[in-house]
Amino acid sequence: MNHRAIRAIYLFEMARTWRTLLQSIVSPVVSTSLYFVVFGAAIGSRISQVEGVSYGTFIVPGLIMLSVLTQSIANASFGIYFPKFTGTIYEILSAPISYFEIVLGYVGAAATKSIILGLIILATAGLFVPLHIHHPIWMLAFLVLTAVTFSLFGFIIGIWADGFEKLQMIPMLVVTPLTFLGGSFYSIDMLPPTWRTVALLNPVVYLISGFRWSFYEIVDVSVAVSIGMTIAFLVICLVVIWWIFRTGYRLKN
Amino acid sequence: MRSYFRAPLTSLSGPVQPPPPGVCPLSLAAIMSSIISVANLSKTYGSGFKALKNVNLDIKRGEIFALLGPNGAGKTTLISIICGIANPSEGRVLVGGEDIQTSYRKARSLIGLVPQELHTDAFESVWATVSFSRGLFGKPKNPAHIEKVLKDLSLWDKKDNKIITLSGGMKRRVMIAKALSHEPQILFLDEPTAGVDVELRKGMWEVVRTLQQSGVTIILTTHYIEEAEEMADRIGVINKGEIVLVEDKTTLMHKLGKKRLTLHLQGKIAALPENLHHYELELCDNGATLVYDYDTKGERTGITSLLGDLRTAGIRFNDLDTTQSSLEDIFVDLVRTS
Ligand SMILES: Nc1ncnc2c1ncn2[C@@H]1O[C@H](COP(=O)(O)OP(=O)(O)OP(=O)(O)O)[C@@H](O)[C@H]1O
Ligand SMILES: [Mg+2]
């Protein structure tokens, strides 16, 4: 194991985060605060309670997931896309380092960043609404699992993308809609039965449901199913990455 | 360029130099053994283009090897495969006895690569990017070594500058520093002096020579033939994906010792007279010129007796000139005929 190489990539990526601190941390915090103002205060005041918690409190796990998902994808995809774009990837490819180690460095850094971000948003939310977390360990476990899984997913997008549009396309066209429709702002029990069935095809529903359970013990689907689905997605990402490196897809001629 | 690399030829074509002091006293066998061994290597790109055709090449430990070839010959492709950036289609490459595919960690940790294109980070400092390379190759931190590398490459005063603020030539030196940061045994320089001014180029040659003296094997590609003449121990020429020549520079230079005497005759002659048959003479331009090739390094050139015999045969000439073939002539010839 070339642990120095993993460390070098990890620290390099983290340094990029600190350099772009404003964009990395401040902007998601600002936008989350805006969600609270709009959904929590303005609209939420007209919705009574959802399954026993106030609307403002109810949307906190969904909001965190929204940011963690999008930021994991953005960080990891950009992290590997940029060296491809500038050509500095030559150095990674010529280094005595295994694919697993490369992934560990890039995905580790991207996941770290979005976990920190998730916790910052959680703290921000605490300023707006009363919060209590029933299962803090599970909460962290879901947070880490989601951050890692979607950083892997982002890594795949970053390798696949051969232009900046493609880099933006999947997050914009797929992930954001799925997250909004995934029960960030409502319980899917509120949907009519047909739409409820459709919603269950959305993987994000499972993430948010499990994460919300760790806060309030209210669920859309059972916790075991949530964990199972997340891990299944993680495994799919790992298999795709294994295939990418085995074939050199979009990395090597 | 042209006039420059014709001038110093004779001074370079002396006997093989003894190894400079400081070269580690390995056994002759070890010195001669190859550190890179390329066997039957072919590369077909996804587009179907065949960039390398059954390349066989051995690089000796400790030598400076210059790879010459026109644009698109396959130089970068060959280097990319050895360094792990491109996959070979067929064939095998050993680096330090390790297979580049099955034993890539050991093979790659021996190699420092300076690619042809300027691929650098933008916002990192020179120090950070060079230290990053060292870590990437699994070496423990060693600020003293990084300092030495930066000083050798005249980059020390730029160490805290962001790379984006450097000039092109400085960026190229940063890439060399990155390659040297992890103390490689083999250094690939893919057109290291493209875009580097004359003075710095000389400085770089100096760095390369010092590296060689410390035991590093160097493979460089270049379009400047003077650079190959100046630096290399051996020269390889590649064209259209095939190695067309690999030779010791001194041997090549010996060939360069050949000169050609051209005699412009007063009148045309139909055939060579009997008494000139034993000379390496050629009758050209329908009998208007006589061409004589001779070796300036030979015991005797034969010119005096030739001229005597010409007079005996009654052949007169208006003018004569001599030309010397250069490495470039050989190169151009090879590339044209292959
Ligand atoms: N990724 C690629 N896909 C398809 N063909 C390629 C690719 N890279 C290089 N080639 C082709 O392979 C051939 C050899 O290219 P290469 O870069 O190895 O040449 P070179 O000898 O380094 O040339 P130069 O002196 O211009 O640097 C060229 O014809 C080039 O067009
Ligand atoms: Mg090239």
Side-chain angles (χ1 to χ4, degrees):
Chain A
M1 192 78 146
N2 185 349
H3 61 95
R4 292 202 184 90
I6 302 170
R7 200 180 123 89
I9 294 176
Y10 182 87
L11 293 179
F12 180 92
E13 284 296 295
M14 290 311 283
R16 199 164 55 80
T17 306
W18 306 134
R19 257 202 323 273
T20 53
L21 196 65
L22 203 69
Q23 182 201 331
S24 317
I25 304 281
V26 176
S27 68
V29 168
V30 169
S31 57
T32 309
S33 304
L34 290 175
Y35 279 123
F36 274 113
V37 173
V38 175
F39 288 98
I43 298 173
S45 60
R46 291 163 187 259
I47 300 173
S48 54
Q49 291 198 323
V50 184
E51 310 202 16
V53 294
S54 78
Y55 185 70
T57 307
F58 178 83
I59 64 172
V60 171
L63 276 180
I64 295 173
M65 275 292 163
L66 184 66
S67 292
V68 169
L69 281 183
T70 46
Q71 288 299 311
S72 293
I73 292 173
N75 294 337
S77 61
F78 195 76
I80 189 69
Y81 176 77
F82 202 63
K84 278 202 321 173
F85 176 72
T86 60
T88 54
I89 189 89
Y90 85 84
E91 204 181 15
I92 307 281
L93 293 176
S94 67
I97 171 170
S98 73
Y99 301 140
F100 179 68
E101 290 156 0
I102 296 176
V103 172
L104 223 53
Y106 279 105
V107 170
T112 305
K113 191 170 150 186
S114 48
I115 290 166
I116 294 174
L117 182 78
L119 295 174
I120 290 176
I121 294 175
L122 179 64
T124 314
L127 302 175
F128 289 89
V129 292
L131 281 179
H132 69 117
I133 304 167
H134 274 273
H135 306 285
I137 303 290
W138 277 110
M139 190 279 287
L140 274 179
F142 270 110
L143 190 62
V144 171
L145 192 61
T146 308
V148 169
T149 305
F150 281 82
S151 295
L152 285 170
F153 185 56
F155 190 86
I156 294 170
I157 292 174
I159 284 182
W160 166 77
D162 49 15
F164 277 99
E165 320 80 64
K166 280 195 182 173
L167 201 61
Q168 309 284 356
M169 205 165 81
I170 298 276
M172 292 268 287
L173 293 183
V174 182
V175 178
T176 309
L178 284 185
T179 319
F180 272 93
L181 301 176
S184 302
F185 301 108
Y186 54 89
S187 160
I188 60 168
D189 285 338
M190 296 157 121
L191 296 173
T194 327
W195 284 107
R196 188 165 191 279
T197 315
V198 172
L200 287 176
L201 297 174
N202 178 355
V204 179
V205 166
Y206 300 90
L207 294 174
I208 293 181
S209 169
F211 196 50
R212 190 178 282 135
W213 167 83
S214 70
F215 280 77
Y216 313 130
E217 292 192 309
I218 49 179
V219 292
D220 286 333
V221 292
S222 91
V223 183
V225 173
S226 289
I227 297 174
M229 291 295 275
T230 314
I231 289 178
F233 193 51
L234 177 83
V235 169
I236 291 170
C237 290
L238 285 174
V239 169
V240 172
I241 287 176
W242 172 81
W243 174 83
I244 283 173
F245 280 122
R246 204 180 54 94
T247 59
Y249 172 76
R250 297 255 161 119
L251 281 175
K252 284 193 189 188
N253 284 308
Chain B
M1 282 301 148
R2 211 160 245 281
S3 58
Y4 178 86
F5 61 72
R6 272 161 198 267
L9 284 181
T10 41
S11 63
L12 285 166
S13 51
V16 183
Q17 302 279 313
V23 169
C24 50
L26 287 170
S27 72
L28 193 65
I31 291 174
M32 300 308 286
S33 74
S34 52
I35 193 162
I36 296 178
S37 169
V38 177
N40 308 106
L41 185 70
S42 296
K43 172 68 183 176
T44 309
Y45 277 109
S47 55
F49 182 79
K50 203 152 191 196
L52 292 179
K53 299 166 194 160
N54 196 34
V55 168
N56 288 286
L57 181 65
D58 278 278
I59 307 289
K60 295 175 196 160
R61 192 177 294 274
E63 73 174 341
I64 298 183
F65 187 91
L67 193 57
L68 294 174
N71 288 134
K75 304 181 292 293
T76 301
T77 303
L78 178 59
I79 292 177
S80 300
I81 291 174
I82 298 175
C83 296
I85 293 166
N87 288 323
S89 307
E90 275 164 57
R92 188 155 189 238
V93 180
L94 300 180
V95 175
E98 307 286 347
D99 188 292
I100 55 158
Q101 290 188 294
T102 55
S103 191
Y104 66 92
R105 266 188 218 270
K106 283 185 189 151
R108 289 184 199 165
S109 61
L110 301 177
I111 300 178
L113 166 65
V114 183
Q116 180 173 7
E117 308 286 332
L118 278 179
H119 299 308
T120 56
D121 298 313
F123 305 108
E124 281 71 21
S125 71
V126 171
W127 180 269
T129 196
V130 175
S131 306
F132 169 78
S133 302
R134 188 174 169 89
L136 199 60
F137 277 72
K139 289 276 161 66
K141 281 204 167 79
N142 185 346
H145 176 70
I146 308 259
E147 179 174 340
K148 182 179 179 308
V149 168
L150 291 181
K151 282 184 172 160
D152 286 348
L153 290 163
S154 325
L155 283 170
W156 182 243
D157 55 329
K158 301 282 177 192
K159 71 178 164 57
D160 298 318
N161 291 38
K162 283 185 181 176
I163 299 164
I164 200 168
T165 66
L166 301 182
S167 74
M170 292 174 191
K171 283 182 187 151
R172 187 162 299 279
R173 280 179 282 145
V174 169
M175 295 183 63
I176 298 178
K178 281 165 81 70
L180 294 177
S181 68
H182 52 88
E183 301 162 73
Q185 285 185 30
I186 305 166
L187 182 65
F188 281 95
L189 299 164
D190 200 350
E191 301 200 24
T193 50
V196 174
D197 68 42
V198 178
E199 198 170 327
L200 277 173
R201 187 178 303 168
K202 299 239 162 88
M204 249 181 222
W205 293 351
E206 232 15 82
V207 172
V208 169
R209 275 200 201 91
T210 317
L211 280 170
Q212 185 190 27
Q213 276 164 26
S214 69
V216 178
T217 307
I218 292 138
I219 298 101
L220 57 89
T221 75
T222 178
H223 286 129
Y224 301 123
I225 288 166
E226 59 166 294
E227 196 159 81
E229 288 184 2
E230 174 85 25
M231 305 288 302
D233 299 315
R234 283 199 308 151
I235 290 173
V237 177
I238 183 170
N239 188 38
K240 295 182 186 151
E242 287 174 288
I243 300 272
V244 290
L245 168 126
V246 176
E247 194 126 48
D248 273 356
K249 187 181 67 186
T250 39
T251 316
L252 258 183
M253 287 304 163
H254 206 72
K255 290 185 182 166
L256 303 187
K258 288 246 159 73
K259 278 190 123 179
R260 171 167 287 191
L261 171 69
T262 311
L263 297 163
H264 302 274
L265 306 180
Q266 271 186 358
K268 291 186 179 180
I269 55 170
L272 285 176
E274 190 71 20
N275 72 329
L276 296 177
H277 276 182
H278 64 285
Y279 291 101
E280 293 269 329
L281 273 177
E282 218 182 318
L283 200 53
C284 300
D285 295 338
N286 297 324
T289 54
L290 267 178
V291 173
Y292 176 61
D293 287 324
Y294 63 98
D295 189 349
T296 54
K297 302 293 179 316
E299 286 281 291
R300 43 198 298 272
T301 58
I303 293 180
T304 322
S305 59
L306 171 67
L307 293 183
D309 286 343
L310 277 172
R311 182 176 311 139
T312 315
I315 298 173
R316 301 166 148 268
F317 49 89
N318 297 331
D319 197 7
L320 84 178
D321 59 65
T322 62
T323 50
Q324 181 161 29
S325 55
S326 71
L327 184 51
E328 181 164 277
D329 295 333
I330 294 184
F331 174 73
V332 170
D333 261 6
L334 273 169
V335 165
R336 198 176 293 135
T337 55
S338 71

